[in-house]
Amino acid sequence: MSYQVARRYLSDGKPEALAASGKAPVEAFVPQTHLPGHEAEIGFGGVTVRLAGEPVTCYLFSLRLSYSGKAVHRVFASCGQEAFFEGHMLALRTLGGVPRSKIRYDNLKSAVAQVVGLNRARAESDRWIAFRSHFNIESFYCRPGIEGAHEKGGVEGMIDYFRRNHFTPVPQVDSLAELNEMVDQWDLHDGRCRIGSRPRTVDEYFAVEQRLLMPLPEEPFETGRLFTPRADRYSQIAARTNRYSVPTRLIGKRLRVVLHASHLVVYDRNVEVARHERLIAKGSCRLDLDHYLEALIRKPDAFPGATALEQARSAGKFTPTHDAWWAQARKAHGERDGSRALIEVLLLNRHLAHERVVAGLATALRAGALTADAVALEARKAAQAENEPAIGASVPALPGQTPATVTSLHEWRLAHLPPDTTPLPSVAPYDQLLRRHTSGSDHREGEAQ
């Protein structure tokens, strides 16, 4: 037997031996009664999710009312203070009120700056004090370690139940928003269940409890964390351990960034200039291809190897239709001019929906129209969804495809001009000039004779 095994055996068996010999008290759990609308418990637990095909660890926030057992859950990319606050706001809005007495917490860093002594006194963080004062929350902190977990066993058991019943097998989703829609449905399902031997369901007990909760404040609370980074020469800003792109015109400027649990928003003064989904992995970067188009149209040779292009292709924003049109444009115009034409097409996304631009690309590709103007015209036609007959030549389609029609810009403009009601001019006055010219010629011929 190894030393570690022997030590673990003695450590686990010592309390039992002392209790059996009467030298130590027997550990006992005291049943508790919770008044409706008075208490709640909050906890965080790690869950494994297959997000966009990759296994990642996310964090499950849970708020559970102690009387009814009604619980609200939310999955976040982190368990930081932003997620802690947003989880509170979501849960309290869903429940329709705030517990009157207290909410039990672990000693989370999001709330507790320091554990003071061996009692329940805590030095709380400034933002947490402002948040719980805004919602009139009375906090109760459990003892550190495994002993404190028993003081809020309801939410700890709820998190284990939720993981066993809803995260096994591992959910496969494309985004956390999709996963949280599933979590909302699971909460609704669990509300129709009974806890243990209780005669009524969770929702039936909650109907009694909800009327006794304190009302929510009318004014909102900003849960995001504020940063003021400066955009570097790569048109990126740093937030925590990750980097995010901003438009190239903002290089060198100091910007205001509000970091939320699931996304971040970048402001130039009071104008929103970028919005990104928050990254989960540390040391990563998220680049928006649209932010680099002004620079790429001046440097089209840098477009094929751009990191933002690869991320757009992985996210499905740069489709195979884009690639096919780009390949044909490079054959027709050369590498540089073909890439510049595609960049001009990508600029259309600022005014037209992505699906419309892709439809315009597909139509132009089938017709062999490899200019940005042709794509813009077809995209606008798709956006307008007009039932007017197409003006122009019909292009034969490949088997299984519908015929493509491309309208020249000149013909399109002529077709949309108002009708011309001006009468046609008369050329009758000019006939007098012809008669005079004829008579003059005859006279000269007579003198010559």
Side-chain angles (χ1 to χ4, degrees):
M1 181 182 293
S2 65
Y3 171 77
Q4 287 82 3
V5 174
R7 181 179 179 181
R8 190 181 306 112
Y9 175 79
L10 293 175
S11 176
D12 295 340
K14 184 176 180 180
E16 298 179 2
L18 292 174
S21 63
K23 296 181 180 179
V26 178
E27 184 69 24
F29 293 88
V30 180
Q32 299 288 303
T33 298
H34 303 285
L35 298 176
H38 276 246
E39 297 182 23
E41 302 168 354
I42 282 181
F44 261 114
V47 292
T48 301
V49 179
R50 185 167 289 275
L51 185 63
E54 296 293 332
V56 296
T57 299
C58 299
Y59 298 90
L60 178 67
F61 174 90
S62 179
L63 186 149
R64 180 181 184 272
L65 293 176
S66 300
Y67 170 76
S68 64
K70 181 68 172 179
V72 180
H73 298 86
R74 196 73 171 176
V75 178
F76 293 105
S78 72
C79 57
Q81 194 175 67
E82 304 85 30
F84 186 60
F85 288 172
E86 289 186 24
H88 273 80
M89 293 185 64
L90 170 73
L92 296 177
R93 284 199 304 264
T94 302
L95 297 174
V98 182
R100 292 183 174 275
S101 178
K102 58 190 174 184
I103 300 179
R104 299 174 185 268
Y105 297 94
D106 283 330
N107 299 281
L108 298 169
K109 292 183 179 180
S110 302
V112 176
Q114 183 181 1
V115 178
V116 181
L118 300 177
N119 54 21
R120 296 188 185 276
R122 302 290 186 269
E124 298 177 321
S125 64
D126 294 339
R127 291 196 75 225
W128 168 237
I129 293 175
F131 181 86
R132 69 178 186 83
S133 299
H134 181 82
F135 286 93
N136 198 20
I137 295 174
E138 181 183 346
S139 56
F140 177 90
Y141 297 103
C142 302
R143 290 178 294 173
I146 190 65
E147 295 180 353
H150 297 309
E151 295 183 345
K152 58 182 188 69
V155 73
E156 298 292 342
M158 186 72 234
I159 292 175
D160 290 339
Y161 166 86
F162 213 79
R163 275 193 292 230
R164 289 193 309 269
N165 287 271
H166 303 305
F167 284 85
T168 305
V170 176
Q172 300 188 28
V173 293
D174 294 328
S175 64
L176 288 183
E178 179 184 350
L179 177 61
N180 281 314
E181 290 179 1
M182 298 166 60
V183 169
D184 292 340
Q185 297 301 316
W186 295 336
D187 281 340
L188 293 176
H189 172 270
D190 293 341
R192 296 190 290 267
C193 300
R194 292 186 299 172
I195 298 176
S197 59
R198 285 185 168 189
R200 291 182 289 175
T201 65
V202 171
D203 285 341
E204 290 174 334
Y205 283 103
F206 176 62
V208 176
E209 187 171 30
Q210 187 177 29
R211 299 192 298 268
L212 302 175
L213 297 172
M214 291 190 299
L216 293 169
E218 295 181 0
E219 296 182 359
F221 186 92
E222 177 55 67
T223 60
R225 185 180 292 272
L226 180 64
F227 297 91
T228 55
R230 190 183 298 276
D232 62 15
R233 61 179 180 174
Y234 296 101
S235 194
Q236 298 175 19
I237 51 97
R240 292 288 178 87
T241 60
N242 298 316
R243 307 190 69 82
Y244 303 86
S245 67
V246 295
T248 53
R249 69 178 185 276
L250 301 174
I251 290 176
K253 295 189 67 174
R254 189 168 294 280
L255 306 172
R256 182 165 59 93
V257 178
V258 182
L259 180 65
H260 298 273
S262 56
H263 67 281
L264 84 160
V265 186
V266 185
Y267 296 93
D268 179 21
R269 298 182 180 177
N270 293 325
V271 179
E272 180 180 326
V273 293
R275 179 181 292 264
H276 292 278
E277 184 179 350
R278 183 169 176 173
L279 290 163
I280 297 177
K282 295 182 178 180
S284 303
C285 67
R286 189 180 297 280
L287 308 181
D288 189 342
L289 181 58
D290 182 76
H291 293 163
Y292 294 91
L293 294 181
E294 283 82 2
L296 288 170
I297 204 166
R298 297 192 303 271
K299 301 178 179 179
D301 294 333
F303 184 70
T307 305
L309 172 61
E310 293 305 315
Q311 291 194 9
R313 185 178 281 115
S314 300
K317 296 179 180 179
F318 195 87
T319 65
T321 305
H322 287 84
D323 275 318
W325 192 93
W326 185 22
Q328 295 299 319
R330 285 183 291 179
K331 287 182 180 179
H333 309 302
E335 294 288 333
R336 184 180 182 85
D337 291 338
S339 296
R340 182 181 284 112
L342 179 64
I343 295 169
E344 292 175 356
V345 170
L346 294 175
L347 286 168
L348 295 173
N349 288 305
R350 299 182 179 179
H351 311 287
L352 297 170
H354 174 74
E355 296 78 9
R356 303 304 185 189
V357 176
V358 174
L361 277 169
T363 304
L365 179 62
R366 293 197 300 270
L370 303 174
T371 63
D373 286 342
V375 176
L377 182 57
E378 295 304 317
R380 290 191 178 97
K381 285 170 60 180
Q384 291 172 356
E386 294 179 348
N387 295 324
E388 298 178 359
I391 303 174
S394 178
V395 180
L398 297 175
Q401 291 184 339
T402 57
T405 303
V406 174
T407 305
S408 70
L409 187 60
H410 176 69
E411 291 177 341
W412 185 87
R413 287 172 176 169
L414 290 177
H416 287 74
L417 288 175
D420 187 3
T421 58
T422 305
L424 292 175
S426 174
V427 295
Y430 292 94
D431 292 340
Q432 300 176 6
L433 297 175
L434 292 175
R435 290 194 296 270
R436 186 177 305 170
H437 175 74
T438 303
S439 61
S441 299
D442 295 342
H443 178 70
R444 286 193 296 270
E445 290 177 356
E447 288 180 352
Q449 292 177 357

